[in-house]
Amino acid sequence: MANFENITIEKGMYRTKGGLTGALEKLDPSENYVGTSLEGLDAFSRQLKRYDIRVSGRGSDCVEKFFQTSNSAALFPEYVSRAVRQGMERADILPNLVATVTDIEGMDYRSIVSAPTSDEKSLKIVNEGAQIPQTTVRTRENLVKLHKRGRMLVASYEALRFQRLDLFTVTLNQIGAYIARAQLSDAIGVLLNGDGNNNAAAVVSSATAGTLTYDDLVKLWANMAPYELNTLLAPTAEMQKILALTQMQDSRAGLDFQGTGKMITPMGAALLHAPEMTAGTIIGLDKTCALEMVQAGGVVTDYDKLIDRQLERAAITCTAGFAKIFTEASKALSV
């Protein structure tokens, strides 16, 4: 039975596990709308429809539309969080680097590690009655360092009330992009320097300092064994060097790049541009087992202030950190 028009929305829903959307889904499950005109909308989107709030497109409403009732005002912080997350997703290349994402409720977290020796990595024949080789998994010695990244939204309700939500969304998207770039910098730091557990990336040096050849990339590929080199992360200067290699300039590659924007990549590895990196270094990694992302709570907004129209200095933050899973699954090429 459709129930979305009879729900009372209050601040306390933001303090529940899953936030406002999770609380609304419990009261108004999306599964109840299968086969109806509202199929495909989640509980929050149905509330926007209930109050006829359009947040995108040329016909988007003004910010003040959220504050016509106390119920609709309680939707505003979730709209802000979603717009920030949307900006993070658009600017985020972390999904191409992270093997797994761990959500935690506290601020203390220890990752696990399995560091087999070369002898332990080989799956030897086990004779009858003999002991089966062991793989030891233990917790890391040091906690994962979590960093709170965010922006302070400084504006008065009077300044924003007549602004279109479509335009305001663009601003919030940009805040999300800032957070995503900061988190990428944190991830790069962990890949290169380790997470405090004596697991910095091994450095492979190019044949000639200051230059990059295809042989250097092949050397990096060879040093990744037994892991797979499926991702390369490079700063702007090194991206230019890679794209200028003769092996990257055959006619078919040129046509693909000019026609679709898709670059040919060394050894089939995804080539990612990271302006945040320091020049002179390229990171090669196996994205399936190199990096773990740990996040506490996702995007968090000062919902009390936003609901009460106190937009002045309302914080939008995201707390996350990174841990290495297998140390040898990422290596650095010094150019």
Side-chain angles (χ1 to χ4, degrees):
M1 179 69 66
N3 188 44
F4 73 99
E5 293 183 340
N6 302 312
I7 294 175
T8 300
I9 307 170
E10 53 187 24
K11 292 180 182 180
M13 290 179 170
Y14 283 95
R15 293 191 290 269
T16 62
K17 187 176 182 180
L20 177 68
T21 297
L24 290 175
E25 283 289 347
K26 288 182 180 179
L27 297 171
D28 180 38
S30 294
E31 61 190 31
N32 292 343
Y33 298 88
V34 175
T36 72
S37 60
L38 298 178
E39 183 178 5
L41 299 180
D42 66 2
F44 173 75
S45 299
R46 287 192 292 275
Q47 290 301 314
L48 292 181
K49 187 173 182 64
R50 170 186 177 184
Y51 292 102
D52 192 29
I53 300 173
R54 294 183 293 275
V55 299
S56 61
R58 295 183 63 182
S60 65
D61 291 307
C62 296
V63 172
E64 69 172 356
K65 188 70 174 287
F66 271 104
F67 298 95
Q68 290 184 335
T69 70
S70 59
N71 268 350
S72 59
L75 297 173
F76 188 62
E78 179 66 11
Y79 151 73
V80 171
S81 295
R82 289 189 175 212
V84 171
R85 283 197 298 270
Q86 185 182 58
M88 291 177 66
E89 290 167 0
R90 289 179 179 175
D92 198 5
I93 65 172
L94 283 175
N96 299 301
L97 305 177
V98 173
T100 182
V101 178
T102 302
D103 292 298
I104 61 174
E105 295 184 9
M107 294 297 291
D108 294 337
Y109 175 78
R110 292 182 193 274
S111 187
I112 59 174
V113 61
S114 174
T117 63
S118 298
D119 183 63
E120 291 172 336
K121 289 178 184 177
S122 59
L123 298 182
K124 299 177 181 178
I125 297 174
V126 179
N127 295 321
E128 184 176 353
Q131 184 178 5
I132 298 176
Q134 301 178 16
T135 295
T136 303
V137 179
R138 65 180 188 277
T139 56
R140 292 281 191 186
E141 180 179 352
N142 295 317
L143 296 171
V144 174
K145 295 179 181 178
L146 301 179
H147 301 283
K148 179 181 286 188
R149 302 290 190 180
R151 288 273 170 161
M152 192 70 72
L153 182 61
V154 183
S156 67
Y157 172 69
E158 287 71 21
L160 291 177
R161 60 180 297 190
F162 297 120
Q163 294 299 321
R164 295 288 178 183
L165 287 167
D166 202 25
L167 176 60
F168 191 40
T169 299
V170 173
T171 302
L172 296 173
N173 285 169
Q174 195 59 33
I175 292 175
Y178 292 147
I179 295 174
R181 286 195 286 269
Q183 289 182 341
L184 176 60
S185 294
D186 292 339
I188 291 170
V190 169
L191 284 171
L192 287 175
N193 306 313
D195 55 18
N197 289 285
N198 194 30
N199 53 1
V203 178
V204 178
S205 299
S206 62
T208 306
T211 63
L212 176 68
T213 66
Y214 194 75
D215 287 343
D216 294 326
L217 295 177
V218 172
K219 182 179 179 183
L220 177 62
W221 169 81
N223 275 270
M224 285 291 299
Y227 298 99
E228 177 187 0
L229 176 62
N230 49 38
T231 306
L232 285 170
L233 198 61
T236 303
E238 276 52 58
M239 280 288 289
Q240 293 173 328
K241 291 177 182 178
I242 292 174
L243 295 176
L245 293 173
T246 303
Q247 290 82 355
M248 301 292 146
Q249 296 180 4
D250 63 59
S251 58
R252 181 173 179 179
L255 289 173
D256 286 345
F257 184 50
Q258 294 170 24
T260 67
K262 294 181 180 179
M263 298 174 289
I264 185 174
T265 58
M267 280 77 70
L271 185 58
L272 305 177
H273 181 208
E276 294 80 4
M277 285 182 63
T278 303
T281 301
I282 295 172
I283 299 175
L285 67 144
D286 186 337
K287 68 176 183 179
T288 65
C289 56
L291 193 66
E292 175 189 14
M293 181 177 183
V294 182
Q295 58 185 16
V299 176
V300 178
T301 62
D302 283 345
Y303 57 87
D304 276 319
K305 292 183 178 180
L306 294 178
I307 292 173
D308 295 335
R309 309 188 193 187
Q310 299 172 16
L311 274 66
E312 295 91 342
R313 306 191 67 78
I316 303 170
T317 61
C318 186
T319 302
F322 298 89
K324 279 197 167 182
I325 303 175
F326 291 97
T327 301
E328 297 176 359
S330 62
K331 294 225 171 29
L333 175 63
S334 178
V335 180

